Amino acid sequence: MRRTLAMAVAVFGLLTPIAAHAATPPAIPNVQAEPRAVALPEATPREKVNAVNEIEVGEATDDWVRLSDRNFVFKVYETVSATKFPLTKAEAARVYGLTATDATAFIRTGIFEFAARDRAEKIIRDREREHLLETRLSATGRVRVQADPLMLDATDKNFVFQIFSRVPADYPKVKSAAATAYRGDAVAWKNFVEVAIHTIADEDDLDAIRRLEQEDAEKARKKQIASVRMKALAAIPAAYKPIWNDVADDVFIRELLLVPELALPKNIEVKDAADLAARSTDPLAWKTFIERGIHEAKARDNARQDRLEDEADRRVVREVKAKAENSGLLPRLVAAANTALAGSHADVVKFLREGQYQYLTQSLGTTTPGVRGWYIDSAGGDAWITPGNAGTGTGGPLTGATWKVANGLADSTCYSFESTDYAGSYLRQQDLRVKLHGNDGTDQFKLDATWCPRLVAGGVRLESKAQPGRFIRHVDAQLWVAQAGGPNWFDTDRLYQEDSTWTTVDPNPQISTPLMLGWFNDDQLRSLAGNPKAAEVYDNGVRYRDFDRGRVYWSESTGSKFLTGQVLQRYSALNLHKQGYLPIEHQTSRTNHEHVSLGSYIAVYWSPASGAKLVMGAIRAKWESLGGVSSPLGYPISDEYATSYGARSDFQNGYSITWDATTHEVRVWRNAS
């Protein structure tokens, strides 16, 4: 086959393939950094005062204001409350280890973002602390340990140690279990406090009752009463009073109604059940309530409280989701919110604490036909659209094209785009040109760097807050704040809607290689190929990549073309791309027929009966002049092969076509049956 192909090329040559793209994209810009453009002036005294006021650490004295920005951040870390502002404190510690620019950006905007997060999360932290205190009070009350504030605020490990140190002698198994848990990990500590201590305390009580039954029946009876009543109080939880052991069940229930914990809304089921039991005259009703009813009522209270908390948290997630959807800028955040809402309450809480802040980065891609696969990019100074420069590579992340979508600096209902490479630098308009500049803290900068999204078919448009009625638009790879029909050269009506419409894509987009630019800008190709499923390969000027439904090949002369099925198998098995035979069209598929032309010289045809075969040069021209697959010859059943006189191809219906290398004569033969 290699000799035949080489001989045929020498005789016939290859015709120049058809050009790949109908539209000519702009030249790829040389996006170079302008360091001065992203430099941040140090925070002003007023900005430092505002930052101090935000974190509630008292008056912003001269000791604060005179500090350098980095030292100011360190003092924030030292001073801010770890209880009220834990996230802010942690971020201050992180930023202090970075550059002076990061410190300035933190003072100017970051401290307000994290303080807002801390305030929003306070409900969750307060709820968790309440649950922690309730769990610990229940544990200590169950084994008659007097809990002081230091013990209740201790770490889980230290709390377990305090149980070990303080538990009365009549709870030996609890003491032993506490020692074992103390030597364990966080899971062991948590399990001991929330579950094990109650189960093991029951075992200790049962051992004591059995022992007392052999010594003193009355003491055994009182121990039984005390055990049941301690468990009842631990369920609330409420403080245990030994004097209650000596009163009748109905008196104990009336005493229970007086504990302050039953006035709390979270214990309404327990209170109602206790009130109902207290009004009964049936001793069995009293006994049943103390032994079982209070626990069932507390379970109902817990279930109701869990439901209310879940509903409240899901409502917040839905609000976050709705805002993100309405912006058209945060599809990853919308997806994360949907995942949380479809999950458990723990998933919802995790989204509120972490997820809603993890999916704020996006890239902005073009939608103009012929120029899709380009992204807004800047390394400081002028912003551009670019696909990146692949060279002889096969992709890699496009640096400078990922943006944090933040609340608008001048309007929280709009948005600002902060560079993920340069802290404190934002896309802004200046003299109608879109640029990446460091935030100097002025009102004008905040206005220039605020963009209001407008959802449109196919994407989102970004209206300038500083220039109402003007939207970010690309023209010749440059970015301007333009209006249709305006007085400037970049205000032209032609393609205005397309040029000013953007699509949000995942952060850190890959450089769009020439092959992928073909895929982005050829609707038919995307429909045929599906999505990429493997890495691109570069082979001496030829690119190819596997997609869901086949493979796309690219060369400078042919553009991006699609092959699939047995045609692809035959093509790749022969390594035809290495010999310069590249598809000049997408593979044509019919019900029982597929083919692709590799220039005007060679083609691959397939049918179920004949398989995939190559037809070449003058033999191909002769066959196609007779009608090709519709001719009496039918499909080729052999690749073209060399003969003593030249070359030959055999066809389905008993015919062959031969080519004479000396005379160049092409003849059709009816083979003998």
Side-chain angles (χ1 to χ4, degrees):
M1 173 56 67
R2 288 184 180 273
R3 186 182 67 179
T4 305
L5 290 175
M7 178 179 66
V9 170
V11 175
F12 294 105
L14 289 175
L15 298 182
T16 303
I18 300 171
H21 304 293
T24 302
I28 297 175
N30 184 14
V31 182
Q32 292 185 329
E34 295 180 34
R36 289 174 298 174
V38 294
L40 297 187
E42 281 224 340
T44 65
R46 171 49 57 188
E47 287 176 322
K48 290 178 179 177
V49 169
N50 291 340
V52 170
N53 292 339
E54 182 68 13
I55 56 176
E56 303 171 18
V57 292
E59 184 180 354
T61 61
D62 285 347
D63 290 341
W64 280 96
V65 175
R66 286 198 300 262
L67 292 171
S68 69
D69 285 1
R70 288 192 76 234
N71 288 338
F72 181 94
V73 171
F74 183 75
K75 187 163 184 175
V76 168
Y77 165 73
E78 281 191 314
T79 311
V80 70
S81 168
T83 301
K84 294 179 68 175
F85 296 99
L87 298 174
T88 307
K89 190 178 187 75
E91 181 65 4
R94 186 188 75 85
V95 169
Y96 178 73
L98 302 177
T99 66
T101 296
D102 292 285
T104 302
F106 178 73
I107 297 169
R108 196 159 278 147
T109 55
I111 195 168
F112 300 95
E113 293 177 12
F114 277 87
R117 285 180 60 175
D118 275 319
R119 291 189 178 96
E121 195 185 288
K122 185 176 185 300
I123 294 174
I124 296 175
R125 290 201 304 270
D126 288 349
R127 183 195 303 159
E128 290 175 343
R129 175 167 173 74
E130 183 178 358
H131 173 73
L132 177 70
L133 292 177
E134 186 173 285
T135 300
R136 291 184 173 186
L137 285 170
S138 179
T140 54
R142 177 64 186 87
V143 293
R144 304 197 315 277
V145 169
Q146 190 69 34
D148 54 56
L150 281 178
M151 182 179 179
L152 293 176
D153 283 333
T155 63
D156 285 346
K157 185 175 184 179
N158 187 258
F159 181 81
V160 172
F161 178 77
Q162 292 301 319
I163 291 286
F164 168 80
S165 302
R166 303 186 190 193
V167 67
D170 53 343
Y171 286 100
K173 289 185 177 179
V174 170
K175 189 177 186 71
S176 175
T180 300
Y182 178 78
R183 292 191 294 271
D185 56 14
V187 174
W189 309 329
K190 181 179 176 66
N191 179 69
F192 174 78
V193 176
E194 294 188 355
V195 180
I197 192 171
H198 297 278
T199 302
I200 299 169
D202 289 347
E203 294 176 7
D204 276 331
D205 281 349
L206 184 59
D207 290 345
I209 291 167
R210 287 172 176 168
R211 186 173 59 252
L212 287 171
E213 284 176 342
Q214 305 299 318
E215 303 171 1
D216 189 323
E218 179 61 19
K219 287 183 179 180
R221 185 186 69 82
K222 287 187 175 182
K223 180 63 176 178
Q224 175 68 39
I225 291 173
S227 177
V228 171
R229 292 182 180 181
M230 279 193 298
K231 286 194 285 186
L233 286 158
I236 298 175
Y240 169 74
K241 297 180 181 180
I243 193 173
W244 288 347
N245 289 343
D246 298 323
V247 299
D249 284 348
D250 60 330
V251 175
F252 173 74
I253 295 171
R254 286 195 291 273
E255 288 291 325
L256 191 64
L257 283 166
L258 298 177
V259 301
E261 288 80 6
L262 286 198
L264 300 175
K266 68 178 182 179
N267 288 320
I268 187 64
E269 292 283 346
V270 173
K271 181 179 180 182
D272 288 348
D275 187 61
L276 181 64
R279 285 187 277 108
S280 174
T281 59
D282 183 0
L284 181 59
W286 307 333
K287 185 174 186 295
T288 300
F289 169 76
I290 296 170
E291 292 181 351
R292 189 176 70 247
I294 191 171
H295 300 283
E296 294 171 347
K298 183 60 178 179
R300 293 194 298 274
D301 275 326
N302 288 342
R304 187 192 71 259
Q305 190 69 19
D306 289 346
R307 186 175 63 254
L308 292 174
E309 291 172 0
D310 185 58
E311 290 172 354
D313 290 343
R314 288 177 186 274
R315 183 164 53 251
V316 177
V317 174
R318 286 192 291 270
E319 290 171 357
V320 172
K321 174 190 169 184
K323 183 180 180 184
E325 282 180 327
N326 291 336
S327 75
L329 295 171
L330 293 160
R332 296 196 312 136
L333 181 59
V334 172
N338 282 330
T339 299
L341 290 170
S344 66
H345 185 226
D347 295 324
V348 169
V349 171
K350 186 175 182 181
F351 174 83
L352 291 176
R353 303 190 85 158
E354 302 172 10
Q356 66 171 316
Y357 307 108
Q358 291 176 337
Y359 301 100
L360 300 180
T361 53
Q362 295 284 171
S363 294
L364 295 168
T366 54
T367 64
T368 305
V371 197
R372 293 191 290 248
W374 294 53
Y375 306 94
I376 293 181
D377 185 294
S378 181
D382 289 342
W384 308 81
I385 59 165
T386 180
N389 195 336
T392 59
T394 55
L398 180 60
T399 59
T402 297
W403 309 94
K404 176 185 174 184
V405 184
N407 285 334
L409 296 177
D411 183 345
S412 62
T413 66
C414 299
Y415 295 88
S416 293
F417 299 97
E418 183 179 9
S419 168
T420 57
D421 293 328
Y422 301 96
S425 291
Y426 295 80
L427 286 179
R428 57 92 59 94
Q429 77 83 33
Q430 187 181 63
D431 299 327
L432 302 184
R433 185 75 160 90
V434 180
K435 303 184 178 186
L436 177 66
H437 282 172
N439 178 8
D440 61 12
T442 63
D443 290 342
Q444 185 60 53
F445 183 93
K446 294 174 184 177
L447 196 64
D448 288 342
T450 299
W451 309 92
C452 301
R454 306 288 183 247
L455 291 176
V456 295
V460 61
R461 302 174 70 207
L462 298 168
E463 184 177 9
S464 169
K465 183 75 175 177
Q467 298 285 344
R470 288 185 168 272
F471 296 80
I472 297 181
R473 178 195 190 175
H474 65 87
V475 183
D476 294 333
Q478 301 173 25
L479 288 176
W480 295 90
V481 180
Q483 68 180 50
N488 305 294
W489 68 268
F490 48 81
D491 291 330
T492 56
D493 289 337
R494 182 178 180 274
L495 292 177
Y496 176 82
Q497 187 70 29
E498 294 87 343
D499 290 348
S500 61
T501 300
W502 304 91
T503 181
T504 48
V505 299
D506 285 350
N508 302 311
Q510 296 293 296
I511 291 171
S512 295
T513 65
L515 182 151
M516 288 305 298
L517 286 173
W519 181 79
F520 279 120
N521 292 285
D522 185 336
D523 294 340
Q524 180 190 15
L525 175 57
R526 287 201 311 281
S527 176
L528 288 170
N531 293 315
K533 70 174 187 179
E536 185 174 313
V537 176
Y538 180 86
D539 186 3
N540 194 30
V542 176
R543 299 174 180 272
Y544 61 88
R545 186 172 190 177
D546 288 333
F547 286 71
D548 290 335
R549 293 187 281 276
R551 179 178 290 177
V552 174
Y553 284 87
W554 175 92
S555 73
E556 183 74 33
S557 59
T558 62
S560 299
K561 297 296 180 282
F562 175 70
L563 299 180
T564 190
Q566 292 194 36
V567 170
L568 171 61
Q569 291 177 24
R570 188 65 176 151
Y571 180 88
S572 60
L574 295 172
N575 280 320
L576 293 179
H577 76 277
K578 289 181 176 292
Q579 303 175 51
Y581 299 105
L582 290 157
I584 63 169
E585 62 186 358
H586 301 316
Q587 180 174 322
T588 301
S589 298
R590 302 287 187 268
T591 303
N592 290 308
H593 162 219
E594 294 181 0
H595 85 273
V596 66
S597 293
L598 310 175
S600 60
Y601 170 73
I602 185 171
V604 181
Y605 279 83
W606 171 88
S607 74
S610 62
K613 306 299 179 186
L614 275 67
V615 189
M616 303 166 59
I619 291 177
R620 175 190 177 190
K622 182 66 174 179
W623 176 59
E624 289 186 344
S625 72
L626 298 173
V629 297
S630 301
S631 72
L633 284 70
Y635 291 91
I637 59 173
S638 74
D639 293 331
E640 180 177 311
Y641 56 93
T643 65
S644 60
Y645 51 80
R648 171 174 171 165
S649 287
D650 299 325
F651 291 83
Q652 193 175 37
N653 296 326
Y655 291 90
S656 296
I657 301 179
T658 60
W659 170 73
D660 191 305
T662 302
T663 65
H664 295 178
E665 181 181 10
V666 181
R667 297 181 61 186
V668 179
W669 299 85
R670 176 72 174 179
N671 299 324
S673 56

